[in-house]
């Protein structure tokens, strides 16, 4: 697993708060009540934002209030797509100029 590298873009963030609670409505006195997990999520879209706007959006999230909170960052890695330039030459009898095409793998 590679961490965040130079050129990566944060496109979203999710703050998730998970709380476990017991439900005693159907439990008898000698039974352990079943656990329920409640999750609250705050989603934040930062795709296509500049640096300052991304930092402002991340700073707008509420501060952590418990160790059960989790911040999930969604990152896109921008990488160059390999390509090749091809020159298309027509026969001299057609009197067409040469054309250059860029083809991507």
């Amino acid at each position: 697993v590679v961490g965040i590298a130079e050129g990566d873009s944060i496109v979203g963030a999710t703050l998730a708060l998970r709380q476990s609670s017991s439900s005693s409505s159907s439990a008898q006195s000698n039974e352990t009540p079943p656990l329920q997990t409640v999750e609250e999520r705050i989603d934040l879209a930062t795709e296509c934002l500049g640096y300052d706007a991304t930092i402002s959006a991340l700073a707008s999230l509420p501060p952590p209030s418990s160790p059960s909170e989790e911040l999930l960052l969604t990152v896109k890695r921008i990488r160059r797509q390999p390509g090749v330039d091809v020159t298309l030459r027509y026969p001299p009898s057609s009197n067409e100029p040469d054309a250059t095409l860029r083809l991507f793998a």
Side-chain angles (χ1 to χ4, degrees):
V1 174
V2 178
I4 296 177
E6 183 179 340
D8 289 352
S9 176
I10 299 172
V11 297
T14 300
L15 182 63
L17 171 61
R18 292 183 184 88
Q19 291 180 331
S20 296
S21 62
S22 60
S23 173
S24 60
S25 61
S26 63
Q28 297 177 0
S29 61
N30 59 353
E31 291 181 2
T32 303
L35 290 178
Q36 295 177 347
T37 301
V38 178
E39 181 175 285
E40 180 183 344
R41 297 173 67 97
I42 300 173
D43 293 320
L44 184 66
T46 59
E47 189 165 13
C48 297
L49 296 181
Y51 176 82
D52 291 334
T54 300
I55 297 303
S56 294
L58 292 173
S60 73
L61 290 170
S65 59
S66 71
S68 64
E69 288 187 356
E70 181 179 83
L71 178 64
L72 175 67
L73 294 178
T74 304
V75 177
K76 279 190 179 175
R77 175 144 301 154
I78 309 298
R79 63 184 187 108
R80 296 190 70 153
Q81 191 174 22
V84 63
D85 290 324
V86 176
T87 302
L88 181 61
R89 296 186 181 179
Y90 293 98
S93 61
S94 68
N95 291 330
E96 293 286 330
D98 293 348
T100 302
L101 305 173
R102 178 96 173 136
L103 303 176
F104 295 98

